[in-house]
């Protein structure tokens, strides 16, 4: 399945070309309140968008709910959307995931285009066709695979982001580096996230999204190599859900950055991943993301959350590990005792 991702130098022209290629009967734009304020002013004059029907939902992952989804479906129904209409999702991962799911299910599916405006969405969420919402405390529990018609990626939007959102997306770039090669990883570990060089970052984003694009084109439904993209996510998703349940939500990329450390520890102890590299990634994560605090009394809850992960087959907890940078080992399992040891390592280092 081809993933049509455009690194845009002229967003108006690229959106116009995508809409012309689809020839929809109606155009709907989904965005969230924050994106509406920060990013929509750059787009509202694009002719094919000025007549679009706007749908706005609240910002942040807390809005990735069935209620928001119902709001989008209702707005499209009230606006006369048909199977031949188009939904353009403009925003971060929450908007592109939820909007992708709304479009994929409305009248059994209409086309959608993603215009990611956050780093996380550019390098990960908007590409590859994973759509969905959170449900009963579990992340992305309900959803479908359905590739967007086009993803239009304009790195100028990165300048609207706060430092936490840059760091959040950067964690996925770090993951792409780990599954790629040592040179890419070294460049990522050298990058100064305190004083972001946006020109250099734009170039790194294009290369990072190409890593994801190559993998999801080869394995769109995650039967094999796409599982490489789950590095850091088995523990990361558990941290994210645990933090949410404790009323101290953390951004997705922070959870992934923290999750990389126990997972690379498992990689080191089980697959021979070099400990020197584990320590380098660990130092970068500590310096740029701080520490996620939890106690050993929380291990059972965390392991329970890992058991709910979509990557598992019954009774196992599945990990993607590495034998070295770029040397990917999918379908690895670990026992609760192995996981406890990895969580001990995280807390003690
Ligand atoms: N975020 C991982 C994937 O798209 O497969």
């Amino acid at each position: 399945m081809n993933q049509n991702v455009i690194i845009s130098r002229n967003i108006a022209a690229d959106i116009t070309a995508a809409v012309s290629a689809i020839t929809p009967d109606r155009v709907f734009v989904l965005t969230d309140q924050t994106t509406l304020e920060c990013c929509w002013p750059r787009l509202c004059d694009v002719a094919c968008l000025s007549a679009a029907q706007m749908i706005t939902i609240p910002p942040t992952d807390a809005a990735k709910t069935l209620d928001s989804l119902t709001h989008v479906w209702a707005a499209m129904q009230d606006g006369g959307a048909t199977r031949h209409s188009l939904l353009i999702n403009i925003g971060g991962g929450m908007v592109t995931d939820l909007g992708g799911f709304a479009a994929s299910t409305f009248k059994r599916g209409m086309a959608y285009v993603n215009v990611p405006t956050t780093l996380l969405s550019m390098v990960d969420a908007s590409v590859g066709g994973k759509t969905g919402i959170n449900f009963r405390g579990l992340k992305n529990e309900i959803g479908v695979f359905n590739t967007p018609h086009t993803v239009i990626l304009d790195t100028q939007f990165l300048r609207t982001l706060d430092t936490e959102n840059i760091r959040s997306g950067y964690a996925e770039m770090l993951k792409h580096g780990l599954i790629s090669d040592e040179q890419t990883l070294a460049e990522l570990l050298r990058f100064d996230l305190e004083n972001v060089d946006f020109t250099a970052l734009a170039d790194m984003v294009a290369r990072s999204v190409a890593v994801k694009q190559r993998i999801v084109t080869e394995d769109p439904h995650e039967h094999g190599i796409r599982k490489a993209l789950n590095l850091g996510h088995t523990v990361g998703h558990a941290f994210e859900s645990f933090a949410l349940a404790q009323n101290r939500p953390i951004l997705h990329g922070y959870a992934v950055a923290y999750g990389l450390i126990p997972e690379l520890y498992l990689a080191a102890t089980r697959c021979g991943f070099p400990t020197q590299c584990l320590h380098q990634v660990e130092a970068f994560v500590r310096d740029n993301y701080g520490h996620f605090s939890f106690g050993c009394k929380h291990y059972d809850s965390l392991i329970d959350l890992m058991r709910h992960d979509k990557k598992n087959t019954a009774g196992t907890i599945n990990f993607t590990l590495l034998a070295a940078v770029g040397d990917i080992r999918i379908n690895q399992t670990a026992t609760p005792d192995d996981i406890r040891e990895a969580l001990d390592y995280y807390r003690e280092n």
Side-chain angles (χ1 to χ4, degrees):
M1 200 180 302
N2 186 36
Q3 311 281 327
N4 191 16
V5 180
I6 294 168
I7 308 290
S8 185
R9 301 274 169 259
N10 183 340
I11 186 131
D14 290 326
I15 291 177
T16 305
V19 173
S20 304
I22 296 166
T23 58
D25 57 2
R26 284 189 170 81
V27 178
F28 293 78
V29 168
L30 174 66
T31 189
D32 67 82
Q33 211 61 51
T34 307
T35 310
L36 192 67
E37 282 157 30
C38 299
C39 304
W40 181 243
R42 272 193 72 212
L43 300 173
C44 58
D45 291 334
V46 178
C48 64
L49 296 183
S50 51
Q53 302 189 48
M54 297 296 295
I55 309 172
T56 308
I57 53 178
T60 81
D61 204 64
K64 201 174 174 182
T65 60
L66 197 52
D67 278 349
S68 302
L69 181 65
T70 304
H71 174 74
V72 177
W73 279 330
M76 293 199 292
Q77 193 178 51
D78 290 345
T82 73
R83 192 179 282 176
H84 307 287
S85 301
L86 167 67
L87 181 64
I88 304 180
N89 302 312
I90 304 174
M94 186 276 287
V95 168
T96 55
D97 280 12
L98 187 145
F101 187 51
S104 303
T105 45
F106 188 80
K107 306 235 186 238
R108 299 208 176 95
M110 55 192 262
Y112 74 99
V113 166
N114 284 339
V115 182
T117 57
T118 64
L119 184 55
L120 185 72
S121 186
M122 286 182 198
V123 296
D124 189 23
S126 68
V127 176
K130 277 189 181 175
T131 73
I133 57 165
N134 301 335
F135 188 61
R136 301 176 79 197
L138 292 175
K139 297 269 306 157
N140 305 322
E141 180 76 343
I142 311 291
V144 295
F145 285 101
N146 184 31
T147 308
H149 180 279
T150 309
V151 181
I152 301 168
L153 200 153
D154 181 347
T155 52
Q156 287 302 319
F157 286 123
L158 296 177
R159 294 174 188 270
T160 65
L161 295 179
D162 57 28
T163 175
E164 284 76 25
N165 276 289
I166 293 279
R167 283 166 206 258
S168 181
Y170 199 83
E172 297 287 359
M173 294 173 66
L174 210 52
K175 177 195 78 180
H176 288 162
L178 279 160
I179 61 174
S180 295
D181 58 82
E182 284 184 17
Q183 199 187 327
T184 305
L185 180 65
E187 184 189 15
L188 286 157
L189 293 175
R190 273 198 310 270
F191 193 71
D192 183 358
L193 281 170
E194 290 288 330
N195 303 291
V196 173
D197 173 345
F198 282 98
T199 309
L201 183 62
D203 198 44
M204 289 158 77
V205 166
R207 280 182 277 135
S208 193
V209 77
V211 172
K212 171 142 192 191
Q213 212 180 342
R214 178 173 45 77
I215 290 176
V216 297
T217 300
E218 190 178 332
D219 177 24
H221 294 112
E222 201 172 290
H223 297 306
I225 191 61
R226 185 168 182 163
K227 294 181 188 178
L229 299 172
N230 295 331
L231 179 69
H233 283 64
T234 302
V235 178
H237 274 154
F239 284 167
E240 193 176 359
S241 299
F242 178 73
L244 189 63
Q246 288 203 326
N247 248 335
R248 49 164 179 145
I250 52 176
L251 293 174
H252 175 71
Y254 277 66
V256 171
Y258 303 140
L260 281 173
I261 298 171
E263 294 198 17
L264 289 181
Y265 174 82
L266 282 175
T269 52
R270 299 166 66 87
C271 305
F273 184 77
T275 48
Q276 192 204 358
C277 190
L278 162 65
H279 295 149
Q280 284 169 346
V281 175
E282 201 177 302
F284 186 87
V285 171
R286 291 267 188 273
D287 289 351
N288 290 288
Y289 298 84
H291 184 75
F292 181 63
S293 60
F294 59 94
C296 40
K297 65 174 187 271
H298 300 124
Y299 286 9
D300 285 345
S301 309
L302 288 165
I303 291 169
D304 211 39
L305 285 164
M306 292 175 213
R307 281 205 184 89
H308 283 287
D309 201 291
K310 290 179 285 302
K311 298 181 284 297
N312 299 326
T313 43
T316 66
I317 300 178
N318 194 296
F319 289 87
T320 292
L321 301 178
L322 299 174
V325 175
D327 188 352
I328 299 156
R329 302 294 152 99
I330 61 170
N331 297 331
Q332 302 294 305
T333 57
T335 64
D337 279 349
D338 296 332
I339 298 170
R340 282 192 186 92
E341 188 183 311
L343 293 174
D344 277 343
Y345 178 83
Y346 178 80
R347 287 177 53 238
E348 286 158 14
N349 287 277

